[in-house]
Amino acid sequence: MSPPSSLKQEFLKKWIMGLQRCSSSKKNMSILERKKAIKLSADVAMASARNGTTCWSRALIANASKDSSDDKHLVEQILGPESERLIMKKVPRGALVCNKRIRSKKVLKRSCGIRRTRKCSPQAALATSIAKRLVRKRTRVLKSLIPGGEFMNVVSLIEETLDYIISLRAQVDVMRSLASVSELVNHN
Amino acid sequence: MEPNAGTTEARSNRTPSEGDEVAALESLQFTDEIHRLISAPPTDNASSFTALLELRAPQAIQLLHSPESAKLIAAPAPNVEDFKGSFHFPSNNGLIERAARFSVVSAEGNNNNNKSNSPETTSNNSSANLLKAVKSEPAETESSQPLVSVPTVEKRSIKRKDREKKVKGSTKKRKTAAYESSEDAEKLPYVHVRARRGQATDSHSLAERARREKINARMKLLQELVPGCNKISGTALVLDEIINHVQSLQRQVEFLSMRLAAVNPRIDFNLDSIFTAESGSLMESNFPSMVMPLMWPEVQVNGSRQQYQQQWHFDALQQPARGREEVCNNYITPENSLLSYDSSANSATLHSNQLKMEL
């Protein structure tokens, strides 16, 4: 599924706005600084294109605008008037609560022991346990990849992954075309 | 037991002649049966009852689920006379079907009154439904036995039997379909979830199963989204692919931002220069010069974006930070894709004007 062009347009609009605001603040940045600013503004623009509907976008913005961080001013500039709404202060607390709940559930499960063992051959039981372990490992990796993924249960994690992949694709398409165009322009 | 056996024998004598008056008589006897069954201690004839079901629908054998019936499936079609004295329902096929349908009807009665009413009203409704169903039954029994109804019927009766099993904790008690339904009427209302064959029906496993189905549905969507995941079976491998895809996309973003930073000392890329009216001339000057040396057969002015994406996917993966020469290949395509964003016109001026307005 290719990302809808409306999403791309919105992203491009917000990104360019953010870039202009970035450049107005600082002059003569090194290449790494520039890269960082570009990437940050792109990510924030992508997240704000979702307008706070998805969890990963909120988490991304929250991470970018952590207190006492250089990026915070940048983020606030990029987001503009919406920054107050999107940087929700209550999100970290809710996430912590979720995390505690998930952890305590896991502890409870482990303490209860294995409750239901189906009547199956030992090979089948071994195979399913191996498969479950693999799936759990992969889920953990996926949670580390998606911003704010550690605080979600599996169902919402998969939904967030779907949305995140589409947004990333749109972002990559727009950035690639802009890079090519600006290189083309620069050569002439 | 004796009166029950007596009525059973009387009914089985009437087996060959199946008429409407028989059905009517038996309907009256059914309600009596039900009341007697509720009061009478149940016998352990679970095996015979399920064998009854087997008799009734040989096509639906695979739906039979209880372990006792598994034993009986191996045995050949049981003799009718063997069952005469041992259970309370007749061995007549039509009557069996009617009994099974009673259970459906009473289940539906329960479904309708599920969340709200008191048990008394549900039991009243179920008995009323039973009588109603009996009246309509004779018209249907003569017709060819519908395959579809029977499996669902059997599923429902099996499900109720499972619930019984869970509640009573033993599989020895023989239950007729009607008995079960009246039992259900006395219990608290359930949320009716269709239990599949061979699966437990306590609330925990039901909830888990619903959750698992949700997860599987979402995983299927993800498989369609990520290229190359359709052929893979198995959650772990699919998750592997998804992780790889997300990681590659994130890496692409990094490389592209590096590229953008390298291309221009100013962070806003001289956007004005890109999107001014000169871009029209830029296109014209570039396109003729670029098209000739580049053997790029797929490039079309109105080209599809999928082609570009696939090519660029490869490009991005293989040449993230290469020199300018390779980029030349993409000159035409990015212009087109930028222009075709609004998908209305292919003129750079339109797009640049749009951007200007937005900015």
Side-chain angles (χ1 to χ4, degrees), chain B residues 295-314:
Chain B
M295 310 296 272
W296 207 247
E298 292 132 293
V299 169
Q300 304 157 27
V301 175
N302 295 324
S304 64
R305 206 171 292 153
Q306 280 80 17
Q307 278 180 346
Y308 302 147
Q309 282 174 352
Q310 281 162 13
Q311 293 154 7
W312 288 359
H313 202 66
F314 273 114

Side-chain angles (χ1 to χ4, degrees), chain B residues 83-121:
Chain B
F83 294 121
K84 244 203 262 187
S86 55
F87 60 85
H88 307 279
F89 267 118
S91 56
N92 189 6
N93 281 356
L95 291 172
I96 291 159
E97 184 182 321
R98 240 177 268 142
R101 289 196 190 175
F102 293 160
S103 62
V104 176
V105 166
S106 50
E108 285 164 1
N110 278 345
N111 277 336
N112 293 338
N113 307 323
N114 180 338
K115 303 272 187 319
S116 48
N117 301 341
S118 61
E120 289 82 27
T121 52

Side-chain angles (χ1 to χ4, degrees), chain B residues 42-349:
Chain B
T43 59
D44 48 349
N45 277 323
S47 54
S48 46
F49 181 60
T50 52
L52 206 63
L53 285 178
E54 178 203 356
L55 237 194
R56 165 62 189 88
Q59 307 96 332
I61 278 180
Q62 67 271 13
L63 289 176
L64 290 176
H65 137 86
S66 56
E68 295 89 356
S69 65
K71 287 184 239 144
L72 289 169
I73 287 170
N79 214 348
V80 169
E81 278 72 33
D82 292 344
F83 294 121
K84 244 203 262 187
S86 55
F87 60 85
H88 307 279
F89 267 118
S91 56
N92 189 6
N93 281 356
L95 291 172
I96 291 159
E97 184 182 321
R98 240 177 268 142
R101 289 196 190 175
F102 293 160
S103 62
V104 176
V105 166
S106 50
E108 285 164 1
N110 278 345
N111 277 336
N112 293 338
N113 307 323
N114 180 338
K115 303 272 187 319
S116 48
N117 301 341
S118 61
E120 289 82 27
T121 52
T122 55
S123 59
N124 286 341
N125 277 338
S126 54
S127 48
N129 286 340
L130 281 172
L131 289 173
K132 259 188 279 172
V134 167
K135 302 271 169 43
S136 57
E137 279 310 330
E140 300 176 35
T141 40
E142 304 315 311
S143 60
S144 61
Q145 301 129 8
L147 251 182
V148 179
S149 64
V150 170
T152 58
V153 155
E154 303 214 349
K155 261 196 237 172
R156 283 197 188 149
S157 56
I158 287 168
K159 169 191 74 160
R160 233 171 299 105
K161 271 200 296 186
D162 285 341
R163 230 186 286 145
E164 290 298 324
K165 282 182 195 163
K166 171 203 106 176
V167 168
K168 305 291 179 175
S170 84
T171 60
K172 291 307 179 81
K173 306 199 174 177
R174 180 199 61 78
K175 302 255 188 285
T176 64
Y179 183 22
E180 290 175 33
S181 63
S182 49
E183 272 273 342
D184 280 351
E186 290 155 20
K187 292 191 204 122
L188 293 168
Y190 282 96
V191 175
H192 288 265
V193 176
R194 177 65 55 84
R196 283 193 225 124
R197 179 191 171 223
Q199 296 186 334
T201 54
D202 50 330
S203 63
H204 288 298
S205 43
L206 278 178
E208 263 191 40
R209 199 180 323 131
R211 179 176 166 268
R212 250 181 282 146
E213 280 171 5
K214 245 168 117 182
I215 290 179
N216 287 336
R218 302 274 183 344
M219 286 290 292
K220 247 184 273 175
L221 281 176
L222 260 180
Q223 271 186 296
E224 289 166 21
L225 190 65
V226 176
C229 255
N230 281 324
K231 303 150 194 154
I232 303 181
S233 63
T235 321
L237 295 172
V238 168
L239 278 175
D240 242 355
E241 283 297 320
I242 294 169
I243 289 173
N244 285 338
H245 192 62
V246 170
Q247 276 174 339
S248 79
L249 282 173
Q250 286 175 338
R251 252 180 277 135
Q252 278 177 44
V253 169
E254 294 264 349
F255 286 141
L256 281 168
S257 57
M258 193 63 182
R259 214 168 117 189
L260 278 167
V263 85
N264 208 311
R266 284 182 58 195
I267 203 172
D268 50 355
F269 315 126
N270 283 327
L271 286 166
D272 294 331
S273 68
I274 296 180
F275 294 119
T276 48
E278 299 146 76
S279 55
S281 57
L282 210 144
M283 261 183 59
E284 296 157 21
S285 59
N286 280 338
F287 275 171
S289 55
M290 290 302 163
V291 165
M292 305 300 256
L294 298 175
M295 310 296 272
W296 207 247
E298 292 132 293
V299 169
Q300 304 157 27
V301 175
N302 295 324
S304 64
R305 206 171 292 153
Q306 280 80 17
Q307 278 180 346
Y308 302 147
Q309 282 174 352
Q310 281 162 13
Q311 293 154 7
W312 288 359
H313 202 66
F314 273 114
D315 288 342
L317 287 176
Q318 294 156 15
Q319 8 167 329
R322 271 193 222 164
R324 308 287 177 213
E325 295 77 16
E326 285 80 8
V327 179
C328 296
N329 294 335
N330 296 329
Y331 279 170
I332 301 175
T333 51
E335 287 283 357
N336 285 333
S337 68
L338 252 187
L339 299 175
S340 56
Y341 273 167
D342 50 9
S343 70
S344 55
N346 261 341
S347 61
T349 50

Side-chain angles (χ1 to χ4, degrees), chain A residues 1-3 5 8-9 12-13 15-17 19-20 22-23 29 31-32 34-35 37-39 43 115-116 118 131 134-135 138-139 141-142 145-146 154-155 158-159 161-162 164-166 168-169 171-188, chain B residues 204 208 211-212 214-215 218-219 221-222 225-227 235-236 239-240 242-243 245-247 249-250 252-254 256-265 267-269 271 273-274 282 286 305-306 309 312-313 316 324 327 331 334-335 337-338 341-342 351 354-355 358-359:
Chain A
M1 190 204 318
S2 67
S5 56
K8 288 191 189 176
Q9 277 176 322
L12 182 66
K13 198 181 11 163
W15 187 31
I16 291 176
M17 272 201 295
L19 286 175
Q20 285 184 331
C22 288
S23 67
M29 294 189 267
I31 189 171
L32 286 174
R34 285 206 301 271
K35 173 219 170 199
I38 289 171
K39 178 160 189 293
D43 289 339
R115 290 190 291 134
R116 274 181 305 272
R118 297 224 177 117
L134 287 176
V135 168
R138 306 274 194 306
T139 334
V141 174
L142 192 61
L145 279 180
I146 311 281
V154 183
V155 182
I158 297 183
E159 287 176 0
T161 314
L162 274 166
Y164 188 57
I165 288 181
I166 293 180
L168 271 181
R169 273 199 202 157
Q171 192 176 349
V172 163
D173 286 343
V174 171
M175 287 175 82
R176 197 184 280 136
S177 55
L178 190 59
S180 315
V181 166
S182 46
E183 279 158 1
L184 165 67
V185 165
N186 265 11
H187 278 319
N188 295 330
Chain B
H204 288 298
E208 263 191 40
R211 179 176 166 268
R212 250 181 282 146
K214 245 168 117 182
I215 290 179
R218 302 274 183 344
M219 286 290 292
L221 281 176
L222 260 180
L225 190 65
V226 176
T235 321
L239 278 175
D240 242 355
I242 294 169
I243 289 173
H245 192 62
V246 170
Q247 276 174 339
L249 282 173
Q250 286 175 338
Q252 278 177 44
V253 169
E254 294 264 349
L256 281 168
S257 57
M258 193 63 182
R259 214 168 117 189
L260 278 167
V263 85
N264 208 311
I267 203 172
D268 50 355
F269 315 126
L271 286 166
S273 68
I274 296 180
L282 210 144
N286 280 338
R305 206 171 292 153
Q306 280 80 17
Q309 282 174 352
W312 288 359
H313 202 66
R324 308 287 177 213
V327 179
Y331 279 170
E335 287 283 357
S337 68
L338 252 187
Y341 273 167
D342 50 9
H351 184 66
Q354 223 182 29
L355 259 181
E358 289 163 2
L359 291 173

Side-chain angles (χ1 to χ4, degrees), chain A residues 15-134:
Chain A
W15 187 31
I16 291 176
M17 272 201 295
L19 286 175
Q20 285 184 331
R21 289 213 186 107
C22 288
S23 67
S24 61
S25 62
K26 272 200 231 178
K27 310 281 181 190
N28 298 338
M29 294 189 267
S30 75
I31 189 171
L32 286 174
E33 281 180 6
R34 285 206 301 271
K35 173 219 170 199
K36 216 173 127 196
I38 289 171
K39 178 160 189 293
L40 178 71
S41 54
D43 289 339
V44 171
M46 200 71 239
S48 72
R50 283 301 174 202
N51 242 345
T53 47
T54 55
C55 188
W56 68 265
S57 54
R58 293 196 295 263
L60 203 147
I61 292 176
N63 281 338
S65 55
K66 277 198 194 124
D67 292 325
S68 73
S69 150
D70 302 329
D71 306 331
K72 186 173 185 192
H73 307 290
L74 214 57
V75 173
E76 279 170 1
Q77 278 179 338
I78 294 171
L79 289 175
E82 303 176 344
S83 63
E84 290 311 310
R85 184 173 61 89
L86 285 172
I87 305 176
M88 293 193 286
K89 300 287 173 15
K90 70 178 172 85
V91 167
R93 224 190 308 135
L96 282 173
V97 169
C98 277
N99 211 8
K100 282 190 196 148
R101 219 182 294 146
I102 290 171
R103 241 186 283 138
S104 59
K105 245 195 254 175
K106 285 189 185 156
V107 167
L108 191 66
K109 258 193 205 171
R110 263 185 243 133
S111 65
C112 285
I114 305 172
R115 290 190 291 134
R116 274 181 305 272
T117 51
R118 297 224 177 117
K119 291 180 228 162
C120 48
S121 61
Q123 295 98 339
L126 187 64
T128 47
S129 66
I130 289 178
K132 278 195 202 147
R133 219 180 305 146
L134 287 176

